[in-house]
């Protein structure tokens, strides 16, 4: 579907790619991985045709379609959420307008037997057939499914897009791309603005998608759930692995070990061959043998061990200054934005050294409470810090707040005080901005590089209450692991807001879920929360249940509960299956009826007779709408049935 042929890319005098080649085939789920600055987003731009390589070419079939989600988008105003989403159905909407125009013209004409009138009937049949083939009767159902899956509510459909934040508008852009169902999806960090539940929904959608997917993501769990190929961008090369991310990590390690061993064997062979050449080259009887050995060496293809990019961040948070036992008290805190009540009567007590995570759907108040705690926005209620508490805050858009026109070192020096200023160069070096790199302007940095600058600013002075809102956005895998390790070793109190399941694992002692203007406490880390909420990936859930089943026999009471649950599920499955069957029969009957009517309408005499009947066309239109409703209900019931079956298998 897409062929990259020996592409090379240069920026200034720096080479980003050199003679990179690979194919994107139907059904491929490719994860592009590599360090920040390796060129992942650039490669997506090249595949989309937005950017041309300096050398080489990109080939795509003329009739193929691409959907490209960029990290940075320009948004247009003046449409509702639903109107914006409907832009994905451009051809269907054009067909709908043509069908309506023909129906209107036919209702006004009386020359039923003319050639022109017959042509209108033929055109209408062709348009209706194309309309149905493209799914014109189910677009409302599809649109609602994707919008709701990505976190929008029904009440949002009629709201203007300019009422939403940039993150929500990115979700809307993703909605349009998914609804357009292109042959190839190019997704650059699609999970950055999604909450955990929306990410799980997107994983499921992409698994069932019939086209190809090429995506950039630093979410390990997401990559493992979605991808079946991994292309590693490293030192200007693209190494292709036919495996998901975790398997790729193992394969890459194994590949390098084999390369090292092969290199050792080859070096040994070369050394022995050179010794024989030196031994026999001056002996007449062995001169020809020596020459053959020399030719053998010249023809030998030397093995090169793939070099890792070893440079990575290395830092730790300064020791937390001493503070009292109670770090933070939040009492009866509420917050509204005009008529929208986000938080109501929130109580929270945080003691020294505790590490907690805020999770929940976007818009439920996680970032709002973080801003309230650091007194960034007005609110009702009380927030009290403990004795000698000093707060550090990493905002969700921290990297975007950097001054584009300043250099990296100017940004850090401006934020430093007299105590930290002498350490600025060393600190920048630990965040991979040594020497000339520190003189780069902020505006030329990648998202990951900007995030590293923002983290460096945070470390300029020690704090004992650290609040981090989505700190992993744009960070590569290695950088996220380093940040997680630093946070695990941090001896202060931590509040972390994140949607990254892998990053949150083992990081917090409590999880607070934000829902319906309140918060609910769960003891443990993100895994225990997900198990409790039953929104874990079902593979892990199934493994845990199998382990429980094999470890020991359950108690009799538990057996009874499991039996009752299974019995009820079987009833629900049977009921749902019957409902699906009824809807299928209704769809089939109505389709048959409409097909018969279409056949009659194609006959001039019969058309004249039918069109003379009162309300015939209104009845015909109602049948089409009824068919669309049946199909929509059938799709929803199929989803419910599959979900029940999946739960039944788990139990």
């Amino acid at each position: 579907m897409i062929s990259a042929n020996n592409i090379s890319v240069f920026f200034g005098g720096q080479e980003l790619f050199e003679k990179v080649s690979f194919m994107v085939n139907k059904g491929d789920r490719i994860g592009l991985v590599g360090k920040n600055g390796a060129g992942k987003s650039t490669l997506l731009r090249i595949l989309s045709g937005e950017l041309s390589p300096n050398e080489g070419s990109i080939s795509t079939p003329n009739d193929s379609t691409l959907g490209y989600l960029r990290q940075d988008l320009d948004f247009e105003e003046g449409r509702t959420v639903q109107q914006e989403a409907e832009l994905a159905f451009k051809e269907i909407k054009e067909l709908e307008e043509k069908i309506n125009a023909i129906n209107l013209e036919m209702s006004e004409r009386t020359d039923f037997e003319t050639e022109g009138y017959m042509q209108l009937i033929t055109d209408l049949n062709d348009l209706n057939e194309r309309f149905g083939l493209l799914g014109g009767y189910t677009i409302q159902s599809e649109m609602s499914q994707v919008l709701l899956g990505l976190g929008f509510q029904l009440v949002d459909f009629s709201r203007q897009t300019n009422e939403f934040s940039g993150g929500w508008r990115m979700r809307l852009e993703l909605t349009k791309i998914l609804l357009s169902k292109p042959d190839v999806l190019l997704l650059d960090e699609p999970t950055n603005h999604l909450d955990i539940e929306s990410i799980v929904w997107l994983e499921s959608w992409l698994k069932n998608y019939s086209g190809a997917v090429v995506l950039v993501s630093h979410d390990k769990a997401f990559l493992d759930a979605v991808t079946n190929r991994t292309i590693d961008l490293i030192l200007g090369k693209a190494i292709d692995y036919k495996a998901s991310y975790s398997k790729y990590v193992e394969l890459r390690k194994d590949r390098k070990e084999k390369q090292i061993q092969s290199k050792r064997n080859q070096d040994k062979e070369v050394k022995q061959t050179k010794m024989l050449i030196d031994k026999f080259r001056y002996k007449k009887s062995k001169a020809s043998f020596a020459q053959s050995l020399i030719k053998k060496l010249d023809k030998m293809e030397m093995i090169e061990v793939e070099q890792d990019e070893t440079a990575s961040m290395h830092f730790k948070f300064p020791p937390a200054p001493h503070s009292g036992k109670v770090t933070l008290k939040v009492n009866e805190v509420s917050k509204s934005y005009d008529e929208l009540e986000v938080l109501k009567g929130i109580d929270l007590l945080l003691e020294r050294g505790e590490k907690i995570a805020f999770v929940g759907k976007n818009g439920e108040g996680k970032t709002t409470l973080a801003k309230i705690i650091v007194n960034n926005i007005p609110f009702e209620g009380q927030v009290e810090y403990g004795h000698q508490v000093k707060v550090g805050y990493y905002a969700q858009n921290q990297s975007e707040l950097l001054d584009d026109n300043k250099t990296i070192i100017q940004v850090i020096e401006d934020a430093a005080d007299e105590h930290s200023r002498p350490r600025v160069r060393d600190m920048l070096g630990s965040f991979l901005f040594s020497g000339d790199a520190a003189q780069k302007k902020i505006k030329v940095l990648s998202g990951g590089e900007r995030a590293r600058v923002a983290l460096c600013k945070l470390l300029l002075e020690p704090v004992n209450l650290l609040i981090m809102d989505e700190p992993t956005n744009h960070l590569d895998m290695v950088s996220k692991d380093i940040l997680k390790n630093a946070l695990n070793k941090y001896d202060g109190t931590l509040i972390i807001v994140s949607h990254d399941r892998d990053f949150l694992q083992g990081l917090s002692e409590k999880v607070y879920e934000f829902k319906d203007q309140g918060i609910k406490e769960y003891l443990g880390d993100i895994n225990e929360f997900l198990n409790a909420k039953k929104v874990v990936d079902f593979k892990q859930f199934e493994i845990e249940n199998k382990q429980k089943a094999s470890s020991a026999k359950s108690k009799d009471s538990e057996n009874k509960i499991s039996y009752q649950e299974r019995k009820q599920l079987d009833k629900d499955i049977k009921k749902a299956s019957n409902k699906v069957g009824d809807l299928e029969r209704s769809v089939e009957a109505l389709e048959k009826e409409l097909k018969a009517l279409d056949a009659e309408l194609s006959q001039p005499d019969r058309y004249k007779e039918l069109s003379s009947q009162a309300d015939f066309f209104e009845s015909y239109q109602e049948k089409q709408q009824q068919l669309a409703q049946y199909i929509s209900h059938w799709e929803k019931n199929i989803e419910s049935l599959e979900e029940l079956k999946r739960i039944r298998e788990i139990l």
Side-chain angles (χ1 to χ4, degrees):
M1 302 181 80
I2 301 181
S3 176
N5 310 301
N6 292 315
I7 62 172
S8 298
V9 177
F10 311 97
F11 287 123
Q14 186 178 1
E15 185 177 68
L16 192 59
F17 304 126
E18 181 183 13
K19 297 189 181 302
V20 166
S21 298
F22 60 89
M23 289 279 294
V24 179
N25 305 304
K26 186 174 181 179
D28 279 344
R29 304 284 189 273
I30 299 173
L32 295 180
V33 301
K35 300 192 68 174
N36 291 135
K40 301 183 293 296
S41 295
T42 299
L43 185 53
L44 281 188
R45 291 180 64 198
I46 291 171
L47 294 177
S48 73
E50 187 179 282
L51 183 69
S52 298
N54 298 96
E55 296 176 3
S57 63
I58 298 293
S59 304
T60 56
N62 291 331
D63 59 346
S64 67
T65 54
L66 298 176
Y68 176 32
L69 180 72
R70 303 166 181 81
Q71 284 192 29
D72 301 309
L73 293 168
D74 294 324
F75 302 108
E76 293 185 18
E77 311 292 347
R79 285 189 285 265
T80 65
V81 168
Q82 179 165 327
Q83 289 170 339
E84 189 74 25
E86 286 176 346
L87 295 177
F89 304 109
K90 183 179 179 182
E91 185 177 355
I92 290 176
K93 287 297 179 181
E94 289 174 352
L95 286 170
E96 192 174 43
E97 289 178 6
K98 290 178 181 178
I99 290 170
N100 291 336
I102 290 177
N103 280 325
L104 178 62
E105 184 177 352
M106 290 174 68
S107 68
E108 294 174 347
R109 290 176 61 160
T110 57
D111 55 337
F112 304 121
E113 297 179 2
T114 64
E115 185 177 339
Y117 198 85
M118 294 299 297
Q119 186 60 49
L120 284 177
I121 295 173
T122 302
D123 292 344
L124 182 62
N125 285 334
D126 291 343
L127 290 171
N128 276 323
E129 185 177 350
R130 179 65 178 165
F131 186 79
L133 186 66
L134 292 176
Y137 300 113
T138 61
I139 62 172
Q140 292 298 324
S141 172
E142 289 183 31
M143 184 175 62
S144 297
Q145 181 187 15
V146 176
L147 283 170
L148 294 172
L150 290 177
F152 289 93
Q153 303 296 318
L154 286 172
V155 293
D156 295 329
F157 290 12
S158 58
R159 291 174 60 191
Q160 290 288 315
T161 58
N162 58 11
E163 296 178 30
F164 292 85
S165 66
W168 279 98
R169 298 182 78 170
M170 287 289 284
R171 289 188 188 216
L172 188 51
E173 191 66 25
L174 178 58
T175 297
K176 293 189 312 189
I177 292 170
L178 298 184
L179 288 172
S180 66
K181 297 177 184 175
D183 297 314
V184 183
L185 280 170
L186 305 174
L187 306 177
D188 197 352
E189 297 284 10
T191 64
N192 265 4
H193 301 283
L194 301 183
D195 51 61
I196 291 174
E197 292 184 33
S198 296
I199 291 172
V200 172
W201 179 90
L202 181 59
E203 287 174 0
S204 176
W205 195 96
L206 291 175
K207 285 176 189 175
N208 296 317
Y209 176 59
S210 60
V213 179
V214 184
L215 64 90
V216 174
S217 179
H218 297 129
D219 186 327
K220 294 178 186 177
F222 182 72
L223 286 171
D224 277 336
V226 173
T227 61
N228 55 23
R229 267 177 77 187
T230 301
I231 295 180
D232 184 10
L233 301 181
I234 180 169
L235 299 173
K237 298 178 181 179
I239 313 299
D240 197 345
Y241 296 84
K242 303 296 189 290
S244 60
Y245 181 80
S246 292
K247 185 65 176 175
Y248 138 77
V249 172
E250 297 174 12
L251 291 173
R252 188 169 182 271
K253 182 180 178 182
D254 184 57
R255 174 190 175 109
K256 186 168 182 180
E257 288 174 352
K258 288 178 178 176
Q259 284 180 340
I260 292 171
Q261 187 57 49
S262 298
K263 178 67 173 171
R264 286 174 183 162
N265 294 337
Q266 188 181 65
D267 289 345
K268 185 177 180 181
E269 182 184 355
V270 169
K271 184 178 180 181
Q272 291 173 342
T273 303
K274 286 181 177 179
M275 288 174 62
L276 289 173
I277 292 171
D278 292 340
K279 183 176 180 180
F280 296 124
R281 72 193 311 169
Y282 300 114
K283 294 183 180 181
K284 289 184 179 181
S285 60
K286 299 289 185 180
S288 61
F289 176 59
Q291 286 301 314
S292 68
L293 291 176
I294 291 172
K295 290 179 181 178
K296 177 185 173 183
L297 273 184
D298 289 340
K299 293 180 180 179
M300 187 179 291
E301 186 175 339
M302 303 308 293
I303 297 171
E304 291 186 8
V305 178
E306 293 170 6
Q307 297 299 312
D308 291 333
E309 296 187 64
T310 55
S312 61
M313 291 194 306
H314 54 93
F315 73 93
K316 61 181 180 180
F317 289 93
H322 182 71
S323 63
K325 182 180 179 182
V326 174
T327 299
L328 176 70
K329 283 183 180 180
V330 175
N331 297 314
E332 288 294 314
V333 163
S334 299
K335 175 62 182 176
S336 297
Y337 294 97
D338 296 327
E339 301 298 319
L340 178 63
E341 189 171 41
V342 179
L343 298 172
K344 183 177 181 180
I346 301 297
D347 293 321
L348 178 67
L349 177 67
L350 203 54
E351 295 187 349
R352 182 179 61 238
E354 277 193 298
K355 294 179 179 178
I356 66 171
F358 286 173
V359 302
K361 290 184 177 181
N362 286 356
E364 293 288 351
K366 304 184 299 295
T367 295
T368 297
L369 184 56
K371 289 180 177 179
I372 287 172
I373 291 171
V374 297
N375 201 28
N376 269 10
I377 55 175
F379 62 95
E380 295 178 2
Q382 284 185 319
V383 172
E384 298 178 16
Y385 295 140
H387 181 61
Q388 292 186 332
V389 168
K390 192 170 186 180
V391 182
Y393 177 47
Y394 184 98
Q396 187 175 140
N397 62 337
Q398 194 74 43
S399 61
E400 298 171 15
L401 300 176
L402 303 175
D403 190 335
D404 281 349
N405 295 314
K406 288 185 178 181
T407 64
I408 296 171
I409 193 167
Q410 284 174 337
V411 167
I412 301 303
E413 284 182 338
D414 288 350
D417 59 20
E418 58 183 13
H419 300 293
S420 57
R421 194 165 289 114
R423 299 185 290 113
V424 163
R425 279 285 182 181
D426 290 339
M427 291 182 68
L428 285 173
S430 69
F431 283 88
L432 306 183
F433 297 118
S434 300
D436 293 341
Q439 300 299 331
K440 284 184 180 180
K441 289 281 185 76
I442 297 297
K443 62 185 176 184
V444 304
L445 301 182
S446 69
E449 289 170 326
R450 294 171 74 102
R452 295 207 307 265
V453 175
L455 279 173
C456 186
K457 277 186 68 178
L458 188 65
L459 267 67
L460 288 171
E461 54 182 322
V463 299
N464 45 31
L465 173 56
L466 182 59
I467 302 169
M468 304 195 80
D469 192 354
E470 301 289 8
T472 62
N473 282 356
H474 305 297
L475 288 181
D476 59 43
M477 308 288 192
V478 175
S479 298
K480 285 202 298 185
D481 287 343
I482 291 167
L483 174 59
K484 181 176 178 177
N485 184 54
L487 288 173
N488 272 321
K489 292 180 178 178
Y490 173 60
D491 60 350
T493 306
L494 174 67
I495 297 175
I496 186 99
V497 182
S498 180
H499 61 256
D500 190 320
R501 291 159 292 174
D502 181 76
F503 182 75
L504 287 174
Q505 286 176 13
L507 189 55
S508 66
E509 302 153 356
K510 295 178 184 176
V511 172
Y512 287 89
E513 182 193 20
F514 284 64
K515 188 176 182 181
D516 299 329
Q517 296 93 42
I519 61 174
K520 183 177 179 181
E521 179 186 287
Y522 294 82
L523 296 178
D525 72 353
I526 191 65
N527 283 341
E528 272 130 36
F529 163 73
L530 289 173
N531 278 320
K533 292 295 293 179
K534 294 185 179 179
V535 292
V536 272
D537 64 340
F538 284 95
K539 289 181 182 177
Q540 183 61 35
F541 192 79
E542 186 174 5
I543 289 169
E544 290 173 0
N545 278 275
K546 285 181 179 178
Q547 288 173 343
K548 289 176 183 177
S550 61
S551 63
K553 290 184 178 180
S554 301
K555 296 178 182 178
D556 289 342
S557 60
E558 291 173 344
N559 278 333
K560 289 177 183 177
I561 292 169
S562 297
Y563 171 75
Q564 291 297 330
E565 287 175 343
R566 287 194 295 270
K567 189 175 180 181
Q568 183 60 47
L569 266 175
D570 289 339
K571 287 182 180 179
D572 292 341
I573 289 170
K574 186 176 181 181
K575 184 178 179 181
S577 183
N578 290 338
K579 182 66 174 175
V580 168
D582 291 341
L583 286 167
E584 285 175 350
R585 286 186 287 274
S586 297
V587 168
E588 187 178 345
L590 199 49
E591 283 180 336
K592 188 175 180 180
E593 184 179 349
L594 284 167
K595 189 174 182 180
L597 284 173
D598 289 338
E600 288 189 80
L601 288 170
S602 65
Q603 302 171 23
D605 293 341
R606 185 64 179 143
Y607 179 85
K608 185 176 180 180
E609 180 184 340
L610 290 172
S611 61
S612 64
Q613 297 176 10
D615 301 330
F616 171 77
F617 284 108
E618 288 183 12
S619 175
Y620 181 82
Q621 188 68 27
E622 285 175 3
K623 285 183 171 63
Q624 287 184 320
Q625 292 172 353
Q626 183 64 56
L627 177 61
Q629 289 177 2
Y630 281 153
I631 292 173
S632 175
H633 291 325
W634 177 81
E635 288 175 343
K636 291 177 181 177
N637 279 273
I638 276 287
E639 288 177 12
S640 299
L641 177 59
E642 292 302 317
E643 183 67 17
L644 288 169
K645 287 180 177 179
R646 184 161 50 178
I647 294 171
R648 179 64 176 84
E649 289 175 5
I650 293 169
L651 292 175

